[in-house]
Amino acid sequence: MSRLDQDAVLDRFARAVEDGHAALTDLDQHSGDGDFGDNLRAGVRQAVRLAEGRRRGFAALGEVFLDEVGGTSGPLLGLLFTEIARALGTVQSADGDLAALTSGARDGLTAIQRVGEAREGDRTLVDALAPAVSALGHGYAAAATAAREGAERTADLTARHGRASYLGERARGRPDPGAVGVALLFWAVATVAEPDAAAPNPLDGV
């Protein structure tokens, strides 16, 4: 078993964000400020440049999103990326990568909930992240599937946090963009780590 290639994950995630920019922007125009696609794309582009120098994939993402990316989701995603980078940085062999990713994602979820106070059912990125963390024990593809299904369920939820909460029922009907962004991340991980597994892109059909 080979190590999880963090830079390949970053590249795959970056391409998915580029390809999905218009769809992510459209989703956020439905329920937020409409800037999520721009913020996510700008942050990922900067992380790619940083990773070409002195940082590996998740460390580059964490540094950029914590320090440079605005919006509600930027710093929260930064917490997730940073915790994953920290956990993966302690692993000495490929056999520990999945367990480390699970630990890092779980710690990231805890940090996000501590700062943002969101829970499952609140129509936020937590609705994709929490199921992914729970499913990681069954493999990368299982986590990607759980994240995608969690993101899809947000279309039927009423927002309790962020700008979408001011729209009430009007924000329903489309998935939460932050949840879709998290699902894209786990899709990127799965397609790099388990290329033969079926992991549909969460933006397909959105």
Side-chain angles (χ1 to χ4, degrees), residues 9-175:
V9 170
L10 174 56
D11 288 343
R12 187 69 52 85
F13 185 45
R15 289 198 300 272
V17 169
E18 291 284 352
D19 293 343
H21 172 261
L24 291 168
T25 298
D26 183 60
L27 288 176
D28 199 36
Q29 287 173 341
H30 179 77
S31 61
D33 294 330
D35 60 355
F36 179 76
D38 288 342
N39 289 339
L40 186 63
R41 183 174 66 177
V44 172
R45 283 178 173 177
Q46 189 170 343
V48 169
R49 291 193 294 271
L50 186 60
E52 292 172 349
R54 57 188 175 84
R55 289 285 186 270
R56 296 187 67 188
F58 281 105
L61 284 165
E63 183 173 328
V64 169
F65 276 79
L66 278 178
D67 297 338
E68 305 292 340
V69 178
T72 303
S73 299
L76 298 180
L77 288 171
L79 292 172
L80 173 62
F81 299 142
T82 298
E83 291 296 343
I84 291 175
R86 179 197 55 76
L88 287 173
T90 66
V91 179
Q92 301 300 316
S93 69
D95 293 339
D97 277 346
L98 180 59
L101 180 67
T102 303
S103 175
R106 182 180 297 113
D107 288 346
L109 172 62
T110 298
I112 286 169
Q113 291 186 308
R114 182 179 65 249
V115 172
E117 301 182 345
R119 296 292 181 265
E120 282 188 83
D122 286 349
R123 188 186 160 91
T124 71
L125 60 84
V126 168
D127 289 296
L129 179 55
V133 169
S134 297
L136 270 169
H138 301 288
Y140 300 105
T145 298
R148 187 188 75 249
E149 292 174 349
E152 290 172 348
R153 286 194 293 271
T154 62
D156 298 322
L157 298 175
T158 300
R160 297 190 180 95
H161 289 271
R163 181 175 175 82
S165 64
Y166 297 106
L167 300 178
E169 294 297 309
R170 288 178 292 167
R172 297 180 65 176
R174 305 286 302 282

